[in-house]
Amino acid sequence: MPFIGTRVNIVLDEDKRERLKNRWDQAITLLPGKSPQWLMAGFEDGVSLSFQGDHQSPAAFVEVKVFGAVDAAASDRLTAAITQALQEECGIAANRVYIAYEGIENWGWNGHNF
């Protein structure tokens, strides 16, 4: 039950959103037991993000939430994949991206919790 939420201060056209979604589908498999079948992805573009006092250069904040614990080595590989995708698809430099990981104990779906 992973979720990847992506906020960027640039405008994402539908093509960029689709390409990022496809990249997230591939990247989520870097986490043990996670697959694109259960991935939910959200995109917010054109948001106000200021990083190191600069609000004009492209920047991103990405949240990765998973049911259960987050594997440190796997999340390191996922960070590399996410930052590479944002650079290639959106021109956002890796040093302008924060990624937050959160393991969730209780995850609800279909009217019940896991």
Side-chain angles (χ1 to χ4, degrees), residues 62-81:
V62 180
E63 295 177 280
V64 178
K65 298 183 182 211
V66 297
F67 177 61
V70 178
D71 178 273
S75 65
D76 193 51
R77 290 188 296 273
L78 183 55
T79 293

Side-chain angles (χ1 to χ4, degrees), residues 79-102:
T79 293
I82 288 171
T83 54
Q84 181 179 5
L86 288 168
Q87 171 66 49
E88 292 173 358
E89 304 297 344
C90 302
I92 301 173
N95 66 353
R96 303 266 313 154
V97 177
Y98 272 167
I99 302 171
Y101 290 89
E102 184 178 1

Side-chain angles (χ1 to χ4, degrees), residues 2-80:
F3 171 75
I4 300 177
T6 307
R7 293 185 196 119
V8 296
N9 64 347
I10 63 171
V11 175
L12 298 175
D13 61 28
E14 196 56 40
D15 187 49
K16 280 185 185 175
R17 283 176 190 262
E18 187 63 26
R19 288 196 315 263
L20 283 175
K21 170 61 173 81
N22 290 336
R23 299 285 290 262
W24 295 174
D25 282 347
Q26 294 170 7
I28 200 64
T29 64
L30 296 169
L31 297 181
K34 307 305 176 195
S35 74
Q37 175 186 2
W38 294 102
L39 175 63
M40 179 181 281
F43 298 95
E44 296 177 53
D45 65 344
V47 301
S48 177
L49 289 176
S50 177
F51 183 66
Q52 296 179 329
D54 177 0
H55 65 276
Q56 295 180 341
S57 299
F61 178 72
V62 180
E63 295 177 280
V64 178
K65 298 183 182 211
V66 297
F67 177 61
V70 178
D71 178 273
S75 65
D76 193 51
R77 290 188 296 273
L78 183 55
T79 293

